[in-house]
């Protein structure tokens, strides 16, 4: 049985935005920083505010890396691995993403954490 779970078509996420998806019983923030097929998946839970808001954060570049800034307290989380720039002990989980036949798929079993 495949560990990859279909989430939504790539076209459902506008470039330079994020959306929240319920995958299994977890809220996952999906980010599409550009026009291409690059997508990142992180936990949607802000570890500082304990709120489900990261998918509404602002995507930005810092130190030649892509980050999302929480809409509440503005802490930044690196899109590729969930590292928190301001406090590494508050880093969040990230998940592998792939695009298959135009569909975004994530692998929750391959969760990575930088904490």
């Amino acid at each position: 049985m495949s560990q990859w779970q279909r989430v939504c078509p790539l076209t459902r996420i506008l470039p330079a935005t994020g959306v929240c998806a319920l995958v299994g019983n977890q809220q996952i923030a999906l980010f599409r920083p550009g026009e291409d097929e690059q997508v990142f998946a992180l936990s949607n839970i802000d570890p500082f505010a304990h709120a489900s808001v990261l998918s509404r954060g602002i995507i930005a570049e810092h130190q030649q890396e892509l980050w999302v800034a929480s809409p509440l307290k503005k802490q930044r989380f690196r899109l590729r691995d969930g590292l928190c720039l301001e406090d590494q002990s508050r880093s969040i989980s990230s998940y592998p993403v792939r695009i298959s036949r135009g569909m975004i798929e994530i692998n929750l079993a391959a969760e990575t954490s930088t904490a």
Side-chain angles (χ1 to χ4, degrees):
M1 185 165 116
S2 175
Q3 299 288 327
W4 293 95
Q5 297 181 48
R6 286 183 158 200
V7 180
C8 68
L10 176 66
T11 56
R12 296 290 300 261
I13 304 177
L14 296 174
T17 67
V19 299
C20 181
L22 186 61
V23 182
N25 62 354
Q26 296 184 52
Q27 288 190 35
I28 304 297
L30 296 170
F31 298 98
R32 183 178 179 195
E35 297 281 341
D36 59 10
E37 292 189 351
Q38 186 177 36
V39 177
F40 298 93
L42 301 173
S43 169
N44 192 45
I45 308 299
D46 180 327
F48 293 90
H50 305 288
S52 304
V53 296
L54 290 181
S55 62
R56 295 176 181 234
I58 297 171
I59 299 170
E61 187 174 336
H62 176 71
Q63 298 175 345
Q64 299 178 329
E65 295 270 7
L66 291 171
W67 302 77
V68 61
S70 171
L72 297 178
K73 298 188 177 190
K74 308 303 184 239
Q75 286 86 2
R76 290 166 287 180
F77 300 90
R78 192 164 51 196
L79 291 184
R80 72 176 165 88
D81 61 6
L83 175 76
C84 179
L85 180 66
E86 289 77 17
D87 182 349
Q88 291 184 10
S89 71
R90 299 283 186 106
S91 296
I92 58 174
S93 296
S94 65
Y95 305 91
V97 178
R98 71 180 183 188
I99 309 300
S100 178
R101 297 186 187 124
M103 292 292 292
I104 297 170
E105 297 179 345
I106 69 170
N107 186 340
L108 292 180
E111 168 188 358
T112 59
S113 179
T114 56

